[in-house]
Amino acid sequence: MTKTEQLQSLLDKGGYVFITSGEYIIEKPLIIHDNTHLKLAPDAVFRLPNDAVFSLIENDGLKGEHENFNIRIEGGVWDGTNLNCERKFLAPGESYGDGGTFNIERYFENDYLGLLMRFVHCRNLYVGSLTIKDPLSFGMQIADAIE
């Protein structure tokens, strides 16, 4: 089991998750669920690998299936490394839907926006006391969040 898979296994249990000091190369987005408090030691580093085209962490309701509640993320360094990473967009003439209908799956599969942390449809979301380092574009996306 890779470190990323081990971290995901801890997040899947929910509750309080503490990550000790060290560097963790995140190989695919970590998914955080309801009622989870993720706390990293001050010198713990979550880092994207070179050539990554994904975020470090996302909430499990990101694609609009449902809202998430009570997510708390604190501490550590969230490092986008941005070396050899490129934003990825649809080719000219392609669209996110057919006949004016927006296809969210196509949006998520085809674009890498360079965001390190993505949270959509969250209630009672807290992110703080951490360092966001070298994102390709933006450090964090928060959309449709309440409280």
Side-chain angles (χ1 to χ4, degrees):
M1 185 178 276
T2 68
K3 280 192 176 186
T4 302
E5 291 168 335
Q6 291 171 357
L7 292 167
Q8 187 59 58
S9 178
L10 293 171
L11 290 174
D12 289 344
K13 294 175 185 173
Y16 181 75
V17 177
F18 180 75
I19 306 301
T20 59
S21 301
E23 180 177 309
Y24 303 83
I25 303 298
I26 306 302
E27 299 161 338
K28 64 182 183 179
L30 295 171
I31 306 299
I32 194 163
H33 308 283
D34 293 341
N35 303 310
T36 301
H37 180 178
L38 173 60
K39 183 166 182 152
L40 280 66
D43 56 350
V45 178
F46 278 8
R47 178 172 288 132
L48 287 175
N50 289 340
D51 300 319
V53 290
F54 51 85
S55 301
L56 282 170
I57 192 164
E58 302 173 349
N59 63 298
D60 69 352
L62 180 76
K63 296 181 183 178
E65 294 95 3
H66 61 274
E67 290 183 334
N68 283 114
F69 297 89
N70 307 321
I71 293 175
R72 186 175 184 91
I73 299 174
E74 297 181 84
V77 177
W78 298 74
D79 187 354
T81 58
N82 79 15
L83 298 173
N84 303 314
C85 293
E86 291 183 27
R87 290 178 73 174
K88 179 179 151 191
F89 300 100
L90 288 176
E94 290 187 314
S95 70
Y96 293 117
D98 300 312
T101 303
F102 183 76
N103 182 326
I104 196 162
E105 287 298 324
R106 188 162 188 195
Y107 171 76
F108 282 102
E109 290 171 6
N110 288 288
D111 276 2
Y112 169 59
L113 305 175
L115 302 163
L116 286 185
M117 307 172 97
R118 299 183 77 181
F119 307 104
V120 179
H121 312 295
C122 293
R123 292 179 184 264
N124 196 20
L125 168 70
Y126 173 85
V127 180
S129 301
L130 51 80
T131 299
I132 294 175
K133 181 180 177 205
D134 295 332
L136 187 57
S137 62
F138 299 100
M140 189 180 316
Q141 174 190 23
I142 300 175
D144 191 26
I146 300 173
E147 300 171 23

